[in-house]
Amino acid sequence: MIRRFVTFVEENDLFSATDRVLLAISGGIDSMVMAELFYRAGYRFAFAHCNFHLRGEDADADQRFVEDAARRYGTECFVKGFDTLQIATETGQSVQMVARQLRYQFFEEVAVERGFSHIATAHHLDDQTETFFINLMRGCGIAGLHGISLRQGKVVRPLMFAFRRDIEEFARTQGIPFREDRSNQELKYARNIIRHKVIPEFEGMNPSFREAMA
């Protein structure tokens, strides 16, 4: 996994070994595996974490977990809290859209102020497939069907070589701690319906569906 990670970064010229990269860390399995890979590869990095205050004590526990993890890795951790529900009410936007905007705005601010050349998010190949279906469902044009870009401004996605199963296996075998967001199982969100209902149906017809989509 580490060799594949480094090879993917180098072949796609995502960043160099001397760059300082700001990692978007939620505390979930994807971002914690990303942090471990950065650490083992010897890259220079720090954490950035958003507390959207949407899940009560769980959200605060996530923040403490990320701060503790940063201390274990011996790196900085930049944290910001938001009254996401209030902002969504005032702007008339969905909570998900507001959270996304706040997240990337915060990451960009930290990167500029602290001199980070790149911002890394833990999107992977399964996220790519799910985003494809979300875009399709929304009736986007051809341009919207490319899924998630490998790089977008300062933002890079260095886990786009791995499937969710690869990440889960690495976390299990290496004993990487992470926090489970219970909302990932709730079927009131379109992405979760696609993840837990739609994609398994395609896999029933084609066991290699994930590889085919990638």
Side-chain angles (χ1 to χ4, degrees):
M1 184 78 162
I2 298 169
R3 184 165 55 250
R4 290 171 61 200
F5 169 68
V6 173
T7 298
F8 184 77
V9 169
E10 292 177 349
E11 288 183 346
N12 291 281
D13 194 25
L14 296 184
F15 51 85
S16 72
T18 58
D19 288 331
R20 296 177 69 232
V21 183
L22 186 66
L23 308 188
I25 303 293
S26 67
I29 188 170
D30 301 336
S31 62
M32 293 311 298
V33 163
M34 179 174 70
E36 183 72 12
L37 291 172
F38 267 81
Y39 178 74
R40 295 197 189 186
Y43 293 132
R44 304 170 67 199
F45 66 92
F47 285 7
H49 176 77
C50 295
N51 186 339
F52 296 110
H53 294 292
L54 293 172
R55 295 180 294 111
E57 173 55 28
D58 279 348
D60 294 334
D62 288 348
Q63 178 178 327
R64 291 192 296 270
F65 175 83
V66 171
E67 291 169 336
D68 288 343
R71 283 190 284 271
R72 290 198 306 272
Y73 284 117
T75 193
E76 294 177 282
C77 184
F78 304 97
V79 175
K80 187 169 184 178
F82 300 95
D83 188 348
T84 313
L85 282 176
Q86 180 64 30
I87 297 171
T89 300
E90 292 173 353
T91 61
Q93 295 177 291
S94 70
V95 171
Q96 290 78 15
M97 180 62 70
V98 167
R100 184 182 187 281
Q101 292 171 350
L102 293 172
R103 176 188 299 121
Y104 282 104
Q105 180 179 343
F106 171 57
F107 296 158
E108 181 71 23
E109 289 172 354
V110 173
V112 171
E113 292 172 4
R114 301 288 181 152
F116 291 94
S117 58
H118 298 80
I119 300 162
T121 67
H123 293 96
H124 49 73
L125 289 174
D126 287 286
D127 291 319
Q128 179 80 288
T129 298
E130 292 161 12
T131 299
F132 172 89
F133 279 106
I134 288 172
N135 290 343
L136 186 67
M137 178 181 66
R138 290 173 176 167
C140 68
I142 294 297
L145 296 179
H146 60 66
I148 303 171
S149 301
L150 193 55
R151 60 163 56 81
Q152 195 170 11
K154 283 189 174 68
V155 178
V156 294
R157 277 109 185 183
L159 294 191
M160 280 294 217
F161 68 94
F163 290 99
R164 183 174 290 109
R165 60 173 178 257
D166 301 321
I167 292 168
E168 292 173 347
E169 175 68 9
F170 184 74
R172 184 185 65 79
T173 59
Q174 302 302 312
I176 299 171
F178 62 90
R179 294 271 300 170
E180 184 63 56
D181 184 346
R182 287 177 292 182
S183 68
N184 288 335
Q185 304 300 319
E186 296 177 4
L187 296 182
K188 64 181 180 180
Y189 301 112
R191 182 174 293 273
N192 289 349
I193 294 172
I194 291 167
R195 177 182 302 171
H196 299 299
K197 297 288 188 179
V198 176
I199 291 177
E201 289 292 330
F202 278 98
E203 284 188 301
M205 294 182 283
N206 176 11
S208 300
F209 173 72
R210 292 175 192 265
E211 287 78 6
M213 285 298 294

